[in-house]
Amino acid sequence: MTDLHRRNPYRLPVLLLIALSTVVGLSILWEFRLEAWVMHWLALPYDADFEDAERWRFVLTATGFSLISMLIPTIMLRRLIANTRSSYRRLKQAQAKTETLATYDSLSGLINRRIFMEMVRNQLGLKRPAAVMLIDLDHFKAVNDQHGHAAGDIVLVEIARRLEAIADDNGGVAVRLGGDEFCLLFLKFKHQTELGQIAEAAVFQLSAPLSSAVEPSALGATIGISRSWTDAQDASALLHCADTAMYRGKKDGRSTYNFYDSEYEKQRRAQADLELALRRAVEADEIVPFFQPIVALPSQEVVGFEVLARWPKPDGSTAAPADFIPVLERLGLIPAMTRSLIKQACRAANRWDDHLRLSMNVSAGMVTDALFPDQLLEQLRQEHFAFHRFEVEITEEALVGNLEVARQNLSKLHEHGITVALDDFGIGYSSLYHLTRLSIDKIKIDRSFFEPGQTDHLPMVEAILGMARSLKMQVTAEGVEEFHLPHLPSWLANSGCNYAQGYLYGRPKPASSLFCYTHSSFAQQAG
Ligand code: C2E
Ligand code: CA
Ligand code: CA
């Protein structure tokens, strides 16, 4: 209530009455006393014989006019004041509403992002501590998807109330940053242990069943914590640190909390850089094929090459598949890389003697993709590369996923003259079922069978060779090295092994270094 509202309601009539009485009094005084005296004093002619009735009429007229001249402006003034007052009230209300909207999130009633940033900025500007606990709900999208946005809003409001309670208990401020992202802000120094305890309690409390009708099965929260005294000194950076810590929790399986860790951030950035560089490398055919010779036994003549992916770096080093294949796998870029390698390898091999074959490693995902055979055949046609010069190397892992599609794909390739080799044989599932039911032409015995000091593995190699012979499959021994000389190559040849591959015959090399193998005029027997 304003002062204006509290004023005495009789004030105006009383004032009017006083004014009126004054006018009447003054008129009477004038008519009956002062007029004669003033006229006389001014030496003006004056008729003192006026009748009293005349005088009273003058008093009444003067009073009437005065009354009217006072009432009309008073009424107008009152109206004006009333209008001004209500406009002022409306302005104040609008102002208050704007302020509320600018400060609080309209759904949850919590402080909004803008004010949160302002609070942190002020705090840090005064060189005072701030800790940010960024909270992202787990599986909230499922609530919206399954129950609709209205239900989602109810859940957000309930979560907001819980956060408010946690903030009140721990001297913090609850904030809604937007969507299902909330924050607890602490503007006093808190020890790491205490922050950890608050975060742990928050994870627990936010995962508790909701009282609202909506009952999502697995709502939870993942929290990232950053502190001005260790992590960042400006508001945006502090929030970013909390976000990084939160993201780590999301990757680690959610419903957990993490403090910001600059070392982890560095690794994550390096990983992101690597991913970007790899995307570009695949697109620009910068992942190149290296070729490792495969020799026939017993002649030890080079009959073909296994294509092995390499990534030459700007610093002159060359990355091996173990450094980038898993990343490409995660990014879903293995098919793109394989396509690029096939293109480059075929173009190189088309310049070689045409008895030389190419062996290409094909990932599990590709072998079990129904589109794979046609895409491969089409690419080989485009590159004018004869199907019978091409081999795919698959691992048994590829056969576990979707055996039926793999079986159909391999049959199709086989029908077109492309051979199929089962790679790393002997260390995986090695199911006889795979060997007998699938179009497999060749087994590559894993190089671990020929590691130094593993002579007790040779009986197993013998058994594999015997089995392959009965199944009419060919065999390549992998990992034949210098130190195996002179016995292993001849032992393998005598035991019926068809091919050998390993450092003894050559390391993987770029196409430009293969001239001595690939042109018959220079062809030599390796080993
Ligand atoms: P892998 O198919 O078993 O390839 C043979 C690996 O053994 C190659 O390693 C080769 O350099 C190495 N090697 C060959 N001879 C010897 C030897 O005498 N001694 C020893 N110690 N090692 C030898 P690399 O090139 O590092 O390739 C590793 C794996 O990466 C390959 O194993 C293959 O599974 C995968 N890979 C390579 N290139 C590709 C590709 O283009 N596509 C796919 N999907 N996988 C690939
Ligand atoms: Ca291979
Ligand atoms: Ca192998």
Side-chain angles (χ1 to χ4, degrees):
M1 273 260 166
T2 62
D3 286 351
L4 286 172
H5 285 97
R6 261 184 254 119
R7 281 197 185 142
N8 187 347
Y10 302 112
R11 198 179 129 114
L12 191 69
V14 170
L15 279 176
L16 275 174
L17 207 64
I18 292 171
L20 202 60
S21 320
T22 312
V23 169
V24 172
L26 282 174
S27 309
I28 292 172
L29 189 66
W30 173 262
E31 271 304 309
F32 292 95
R33 290 275 178 275
L34 290 178
E35 191 184 36
W37 186 79
V38 170
M39 294 301 270
H40 178 75
W41 186 67
L42 291 174
L44 291 172
Y46 177 66
D47 180 4
D49 296 334
F50 266 133
E51 283 187 22
D52 278 0
E54 280 292 309
R55 293 188 187 278
W56 280 116
R57 211 178 65 202
F58 173 79
V59 169
L60 276 179
T61 311
T63 309
F65 276 113
S66 303
L67 196 64
I68 289 166
S69 62
M70 272 191 294
L71 259 182
I72 290 174
T74 305
I75 289 167
M76 284 173 68
L77 197 67
R78 273 188 72 105
R79 283 245 166 114
L80 191 69
I81 289 170
N83 281 346
T84 313
R85 234 186 257 157
S86 91
S87 304
Y88 180 76
R89 221 175 11 248
R90 280 201 300 273
L91 186 72
K92 275 285 176 201
Q93 280 166 352
Q95 226 173 23
K97 200 169 168 191
T98 315
E99 250 165 52
T100 308
L101 281 178
T103 310
Y104 299 100
D105 166 58
S106 57
L107 176 69
S108 64
L110 298 184
I111 280 175
N112 66 21
R113 187 187 197 99
R114 193 179 67 86
I115 295 296
F116 159 75
M117 290 301 275
E118 232 167 67
M119 287 169 82
V120 179
R121 235 174 262 134
N122 289 344
Q123 181 78 353
L124 298 183
L126 295 169
K127 304 259 178 283
R128 290 186 184 149
V132 170
M133 231 176 239
L134 185 76
I135 299 150
D136 192 280
L137 298 184
D138 302 330
H139 314 294
F140 177 70
K141 192 176 171 298
V143 178
N144 268 344
D145 291 350
Q146 288 166 20
H147 304 277
H149 283 260
D153 284 356
I154 294 173
V155 170
L156 289 176
V157 170
E158 183 159 357
I159 293 291
R161 294 294 79 79
R162 289 184 192 184
L163 279 175
E164 236 167 9
I166 299 170
D168 288 349
D169 289 348
N170 296 284
V173 182
V175 182
R176 181 171 175 221
L177 294 174
D180 63 342
E181 221 176 52
F182 295 87
C183 174
L184 286 171
L185 170 65
F186 300 98
L187 297 176
K188 276 201 179 122
F189 178 83
K190 280 195 187 296
H191 199 272
Q192 174 159 358
T193 329
E194 193 186 349
L195 286 170
Q197 282 162 353
I198 298 172
E200 196 174 331
V203 168
F204 178 75
Q205 287 174 30
L206 297 180
S207 325
L210 295 158
S211 58
S212 43
V214 189
E215 195 47 77
S217 47
L219 197 69
T222 303
I223 299 181
I225 310 166
S226 63
R227 295 156 294 167
S228 65
W229 54 97
T230 55
D231 305 331
Q233 274 71 49
D234 83 80
S236 312
L238 198 61
L239 189 59
H240 175 76
C241 289
D243 194 53
T244 311
M246 190 275 294
Y247 177 81
R248 182 180 186 177
K250 288 275 179 192
K251 277 182 74 184
D252 292 351
R254 299 157 190 245
S255 283
T256 178
Y257 72 91
N258 279 294
F259 284 91
Y260 172 74
D261 173 0
S262 59
E263 210 37 58
Y264 174 82
E265 168 79 341
K266 243 185 254 163
Q267 282 170 14
R268 200 172 78 121
R269 229 176 261 158
Q271 184 69 19
D273 289 348
L274 174 68
E275 289 177 3
L276 185 67
L278 268 173
R279 277 183 195 283
R280 289 189 180 142
V282 169
E283 224 168 83
D285 294 333
E286 281 168 10
I287 294 184
V288 298
F290 269 38
F291 300 87
Q292 186 178 32
I294 299 170
V295 301
L297 293 175
S299 70
Q300 299 190 83
E301 269 174 30
V302 176
V303 291
F305 295 87
E306 176 173 358
V307 177
L308 292 160
R310 292 290 183 274
W311 184 23
K313 298 285 200 58
D315 64 4
S317 65
T318 302
D323 303 327
F324 58 86
I325 296 252
V327 185
L328 290 178
E329 197 92 59
R330 207 177 54 241
L331 298 176
L333 287 175
I334 292 288
M337 178 201 71
T338 309
R339 249 189 107 71
S340 160
L341 286 180
I342 292 174
K343 178 176 79 182
Q344 298 177 67
C346 287
R347 287 178 190 181
N350 273 337
R351 293 195 289 271
W352 306 340
D353 284 350
D354 60 11
H355 70 283
L356 293 171
R357 307 183 75 232
L358 283 181
S359 243
M360 189 77 205
N361 291 288
V362 176
S363 73
M366 292 179 75
V367 178
T368 48
D369 176 357
L371 300 175
F372 168 63
D374 286 336
Q375 286 170 347
L376 175 63
L377 293 168
E378 180 51 32
Q379 194 182 8
L380 293 178
R381 275 188 208 107
Q382 269 176 18
E383 298 298 337
H384 307 291
F385 197 79
F387 295 158
H388 72 270
R389 290 180 67 192
F390 202 83
E391 180 164 85
V392 291
E393 294 192 10
I394 60 163
T395 56
E396 282 169 299
E397 178 201 344
L399 308 173
V400 179
N402 193 342
L403 188 62
E404 188 44 34
V405 179
R407 198 185 63 74
Q408 288 171 12
N409 284 352
L410 298 181
S411 299
K412 191 161 190 177
L413 296 178
H414 191 75
E415 281 163 20
H416 284 82
I418 292 173
T419 53
V420 178
L422 191 57
D423 208 353
D424 305 339
F425 188 81
I427 56 163
Y429 302 90
S430 301
S431 158
L432 281 179
Y433 177 86
H434 295 154
L435 289 180
T436 51
R437 296 292 302 276
L438 300 169
S439 306
I440 289 170
D441 305 280
K442 195 186 274 178
I443 292 168
K444 294 187 81 172
I445 302 179
D446 191 72
R447 67 169 188 270
S448 56
F449 285 87
F450 307 110
E451 270 167 9
Q454 299 289 351
T455 44
D456 55 338
H457 282 171
L458 290 185
M460 271 200 282
V461 175
E462 249 175 339
I464 295 172
L465 287 167
M467 180 197 67
R469 203 176 306 121
S470 14
L471 293 174
K472 300 200 171 34
M473 286 177 188
Q474 298 198 302
V475 180
T476 304
E478 285 191 292
V480 181
E481 298 202 30
E482 199 80 23
F483 68 86
H484 288 121
L485 284 174
H487 304 295
L488 188 62
S490 52
W491 182 84
L492 285 169
N494 293 337
S495 309
C497 184
N498 313 83
Y499 304 99
Q501 182 182 351
Y503 294 165
L504 176 61
Y505 306 106
R507 288 183 180 249
K509 289 199 180 96
S512 54
S513 318
L514 298 176
F515 199 76
C516 60
Y517 300 122
T518 53
H519 292 75
S520 49
S521 47
F522 284 85
Q524 60 178 38
Q525 285 204 338

